[in-house]
Amino acid sequence: MARPLTQSRALQLRAESFLPGGVDSPVRAFRAVGGDPPFVTRAEGAYLYDADGNKYLDMFGSWGPMILGHAFPPAVEAIQQAAAKSASFGASHAGEADLAELVMQCFPSIERLRFVSSGTEACMSAIRLARGYTGRNFVIKFEGCYHGHADALLVKAGSGVATFGIPGSAGVPAETAMHTLALPYNDLDAVRAAFALHPGAIACIIVEPVVGNAGTIVPAAGYLEGLRTLTHEHGALLILDEVMTGFRLSLGGAQGLYGIRPDLTTLGKIVGGGLPCGAFGGRAEIMNYLAPLGPVYQAGTLSGNPLAMAAGVATLQHLIEHETSVYPQLDSVTASIANGVAAIAEEAGIPVTTNRVGSMFTWFFTGAPVTNFESAATSNTVTFARFHRAMLDAGVWLPPSQYEAAFVGTAHGTEEVAFLLSAAREALANAQDSEN
Ligand code: KE4
């Protein structure tokens, strides 16, 4: 049982006098699950350590980047060596091509790429590039998919399927939102309807090939192929947002797993080994529309940052060198965790639907299959919150929202599986008791 979060509480109160909600990103505030978030002091391997001396098994891995565990020694050394030569040059350096070469080795669809400092920047830039290249303004995204917080992507479905989007956040002008069509995921008819309603006007489709931001949702058979066919037919670009799935589901991300060749790909998280880094890339003919070669402007002070490049190179080199062992191991350990808890929930009479691809997964507290955001929303978020808090108290830190994916890294082994299943057995027994 975790020690009381006395120090974390004091740190939360201090943080709130500087940062809205005490956080630099909303999900960290634990509003979806309640209670105070522990304040982390350090992390190593599969574990986080908080200000009150508690140790937690980390099941969200900084939201994806830490696939090789925290403080992965080759990455730490690479960052330390790079830092000694200055944290930033603002000028070209060989490290950019070093990382780009490894990314392109993993993603054959990427013929040219550009580094940025976040997944948001990668997706925002890819959208602008698609609009500049096609000369079209409309964008298709899908309910439940998140592509960062650029205005054009903080949009939710309008009154009817395929009609104009409406702002998904305060501060997003209706004029901006109207050019984004938010459609249901796993529904090709909705995409056909959108192209029929806006002939010659849709620049691109951007999609999480495996959704992680509604919890994990798997593409239906033929869905991604259908998006590829429809974008080809209508002269629109297909952008696969692999910020979460890139290097996670396979070395070549979801496109490597499902055999889809997009026009553009966005990357983040793992590509920077945990440092601020994103990237977008694809067909050279499209990428060469970017300044200084072409008319689409895009820039960034810290783009290609030498420390992020060094951390990314250390991370990708390890994944490439150990590909044949890493991905089967991640799949096996994650299956043991995901399926083990699902079986315990079933024994406890608690309806849980488990969606998993490789080392990303979600336990939805619903008895319904989860194939899109609407079905994900049938989950009992109260039971999830109770489960989350019980697991945290037992030393297992799950992502603090029903609508987030959990991640396993190479530092998770049989000991971590046993520890987590033991904690889940107790947590679900209690969750069930309090429901009766
Ligand atoms: P960032 O700007 O947060 O680096 O990336 C945005 C982004 C883009 N595309 C996908 C598929 C993503 O998952 C993300 C960011 N993921 C969230 C987790 N669901 C980041 C966590 C947070 O917002 O604090």
Side-chain angles (χ1 to χ4, degrees):
M1 179 58 79
R3 298 190 191 100
L5 302 185
T6 312
Q7 290 303 316
S8 285
R9 176 70 189 145
L11 289 166
Q12 175 70 25
L13 291 175
R14 175 171 180 262
E16 287 173 1
S17 56
F18 301 102
L19 312 169
V23 293
D24 286 313
S25 200
V27 71
R28 303 177 192 171
F30 272 38
R31 293 298 166 96
V33 294
D36 278 333
F39 270 58
V40 175
T41 54
R42 70 182 184 90
E44 188 175 354
Y47 294 93
L48 298 161
Y49 300 84
D50 78 7
D52 292 285
N54 294 308
K55 176 181 178 182
Y56 303 93
L57 178 59
D58 180 3
M59 293 306 293
F60 62 105
S62 182
W63 306 95
M66 310 321 284
I67 193 168
L68 297 177
H70 290 287
F72 177 61
V76 172
E77 186 179 339
I79 295 165
Q80 289 171 333
Q81 287 180 6
K85 300 171 185 171
S86 176
S88 177
F89 307 136
S92 297
H93 63 99
E96 297 163 277
D98 292 344
L99 185 55
E101 189 172 21
L102 295 176
V103 170
M104 290 162 69
Q105 187 180 322
C106 300
F107 285 85
S109 70
I110 297 180
E111 299 169 351
R112 292 287 184 284
L113 67 90
R114 177 159 289 172
F115 291 109
V116 292
S117 298
S118 69
T120 291
E121 267 193 277
C123 294
M124 173 182 78
S125 306
I127 295 289
R128 183 180 313 125
L129 178 59
R131 285 172 158 162
Y133 177 76
T134 61
R136 302 177 178 183
N137 291 333
F138 281 84
V139 170
I140 289 176
K141 76 174 292 286
F142 298 95
E143 295 274 70
C145 289
Y146 175 69
H147 306 288
H149 61 89
D151 282 1
L153 293 164
L154 290 181
V155 172
K156 56 189 182 186
S159 55
V161 170
T163 56
F164 298 155
I166 57 177
S169 163
V172 175
E175 298 76 15
T176 302
M178 67 172 284
H179 286 110
T180 302
L181 310 173
L183 307 180
Y185 184 77
N186 270 334
D187 178 347
L188 288 173
D189 286 341
V191 177
R192 290 187 189 96
F195 276 116
L197 203 57
H198 304 281
I202 295 174
C204 64
I205 288 179
I206 185 166
V207 64
E208 289 186 60
V210 172
V211 181
N213 288 287
T216 304
I217 299 177
V218 183
Y223 179 65
L224 297 177
E225 293 80 356
L227 295 180
R228 180 66 285 184
T229 301
L230 285 167
T231 44
H232 272 149
E233 280 174 9
H234 294 279
L237 301 186
L238 178 62
I239 303 174
L240 291 189
D241 178 354
E242 299 231 39
V243 166
M244 188 180 280
T245 55
F247 314 103
R248 165 70 56 187
L249 301 187
S250 81
L251 204 50
Q255 60 191 268
L257 200 61
Y258 294 102
I260 302 292
R261 191 177 181 92
D263 298 296
L264 294 173
T265 298
T266 58
L267 296 167
K269 299 180 192 279
I270 293 171
V271 74
L275 267 67
C277 183
F280 63 105
R283 287 168 37 207
E285 173 200 0
I286 302 170
M287 291 300 290
N288 290 341
Y289 260 66
L290 284 172
L293 299 181
V296 177
Y297 192 71
Q298 183 278 332
T301 302
L302 298 176
S303 297
N305 172 270
L307 276 62
M309 299 297 102
V313 165
T315 300
L316 296 199
Q317 277 177 337
H318 184 87
L319 289 171
I320 290 167
E321 189 179 333
H322 301 280
E323 177 186 10
T324 54
S325 59
V326 161
Y327 291 98
Q329 175 204 332
L330 287 172
D331 189 60
S332 168
V333 171
T334 311
S336 299
I337 289 172
N339 301 341
V341 170
I344 295 167
E346 188 173 4
E347 285 163 22
I350 298 177
V352 165
T353 290
T354 303
N355 285 357
R356 176 178 78 85
V357 180
S359 58
M360 70 185 267
F361 70 96
T362 300
W363 296 300
F364 292 96
F365 281 74
T366 178
V370 175
T371 58
N372 57 24
F373 182 67
E374 186 182 11
S375 47
T378 65
S379 302
N380 185 324
T381 53
V382 173
T383 304
F384 175 83
R386 199 177 291 132
F387 177 61
H388 183 276
R389 179 51 60 176
M391 291 292 273
L392 194 70
D393 289 344
V396 179
W397 192 331
L398 299 173
S401 166
Q402 172 66 93
Y403 305 115
E404 292 288 354
F407 299 101
V408 168
T410 53
H412 292 73
T414 49
E415 188 178 323
E416 285 67 34
V417 173
F419 178 74
L420 187 148
L421 295 184
S422 167
R425 202 163 280 111
E426 175 114 7
L428 288 167
N430 295 336
Q432 200 236 7
D433 289 348
S434 49
E435 286 207 332
N436 290 341

